[in-house]
Amino acid sequence: DTGVSQNPRHKITKRGQNVTFRCDPISEHNRLYWYRQTLGQGPEFLTYFQNEAQLEKSRLLSDRFSAERPKGSFSTLEIQRTEQGDSAMYLCASSWLTRGSQETQYFGPGTRLLVL
Amino acid sequence: DAKTTQPNSMESNEEEPVHLPCNHSTISGTDYIHWYRQLPSQGPEYVIHGLTSNVNNRMASLAIAEDRKSSTLILHRATLRDAAVYYCILHNSGGSNYKLTFGKGTLLTVNP
């Protein structure tokens, strides 16, 4: 298994443009998470999926953000009308939760977004 | 979420042991203590977790105080590749606490 992959690794865009990031989790992992990390801070939870169902969205996820996980495999995170405050590292993580055990989340390398 | 407190930074010399402390005085009975670390320009990676007893794995050891209000991550022989931000997180994936709540962590510098 090659681990969690994210594409692109870097994205520079102009304010007002739309961007889309992709995450490919470890195969067979039933949970997928998106986090955002700004400089000097720890990652902050954005949203998560159990299979294809999006079960929670953080208040950080404004209406301009949307995430999907069709067929319970890869996931996309789209940001519409980007703002400079969206500049951050976007991290994806996946896990396999089994009853009675503690979950370990496996993170991808992240997509670094810079909004000019 | 229960809060953890860690020093902002620590320094160590290569091949020496490192003890990274974490305080979690408001820990609940069902919270596990998880440690993740984040190497430069990478996503976080799992290190170790425990509930009450001390734990060992190939990466590190976790020493948990008897009252569970503090814990210490122990790297037995630090290498330059251990330079990272270390996060102590209270988490119980068996309950409704599915997301990881990261603080600022401890930045570990390892000197050659």
Side-chain angles (χ1 to χ4, degrees):
Chain A
D1 200 319
T2 57
V4 178
S5 61
Q6 292 187 246
N7 289 288
R9 293 291 309 277
H10 303 274
K11 180 70 177 178
I12 300 174
T13 191
K14 292 182 179 178
R15 189 177 54 184
Q17 298 294 305
N18 299 343
V19 294
T20 300
F21 309 140
R22 176 178 170 124
C23 171
D24 287 273
I26 294 171
S27 55
E28 307 306 321
H29 275 191
N30 54 4
R31 284 191 170 182
L32 186 147
Y33 300 79
W34 285 99
Y35 293 82
R36 182 173 71 184
Q37 185 173 26
T38 54
L39 207 58
Q41 305 295 317
E44 296 174 289
F45 169 80
L46 291 179
T47 188
Y48 97 102
F49 294 82
Q50 175 94 12
N51 300 311
E52 67 274 11
Q54 187 175 18
L55 296 186
E56 180 164 335
K57 295 191 292 186
S58 161
R59 285 171 293 180
L60 292 174
L61 219 61
S62 75
D63 292 344
R64 297 183 296 105
F65 288 71
S66 62
E68 294 183 342
R69 192 185 182 197
K71 303 177 184 178
S73 56
F74 71 93
S75 176
T76 58
L77 178 68
E78 181 183 16
I79 309 174
Q80 296 181 327
R81 305 180 303 281
T82 52
E83 302 173 356
Q84 288 180 324
D86 297 332
S87 296
M89 174 78 84
Y90 290 84
L91 293 159
C92 175
S94 69
S95 70
W96 174 260
L97 182 66
T98 56
R99 187 179 295 276
S101 69
Q102 284 295 299
E103 171 192 35
T104 295
Q105 295 187 20
Y106 295 84
F107 285 80
T111 295
R112 185 170 294 283
L113 173 66
L114 177 60
V115 181
L116 301 176
Chain B
D1 293 329
K3 186 177 172 59
T4 63
T5 304
Q6 299 178 252
N8 290 332
S9 62
M10 290 185 66
E11 206 166 320
S12 172
N13 295 320
E14 203 174 4
E15 298 190 4
E16 290 185 356
V18 182
H19 291 235
L20 297 164
C22 181
N23 289 320
H24 29 77
S25 58
T26 59
I27 189 170
S28 76
T30 56
D31 282 335
Y32 283 72
I33 302 154
H34 289 246
W35 284 81
Y36 281 73
R37 72 179 185 180
Q38 188 170 20
L39 280 63
S41 303
Q42 295 188 27
E45 66 172 341
Y46 167 81
V47 178
I48 200 167
H49 75 268
L51 183 62
T52 56
S53 303
N54 295 345
V55 185
N56 300 298
N57 67 21
R58 63 174 182 82
M59 289 181 72
S61 295
L62 177 60
I64 302 172
E66 199 168 328
D67 64 5
R68 298 206 333 121
K69 292 186 177 181
S70 65
S71 61
T72 302
L73 180 72
I74 302 166
L75 306 179
H76 294 286
R77 288 179 72 239
T79 70
L80 297 177
R81 287 173 294 185
D82 291 322
V85 178
Y86 286 78
Y87 298 100
C88 169
I89 300 168
L90 301 183
H91 185 54
N92 180 7
S93 49
S96 60
N97 182 17
Y98 39 82
K99 60 195 173 197
L100 296 174
T101 301
F102 291 82
K104 290 188 176 182
T106 297
L107 175 63
L108 175 66
T109 301
V110 180
N111 300 314

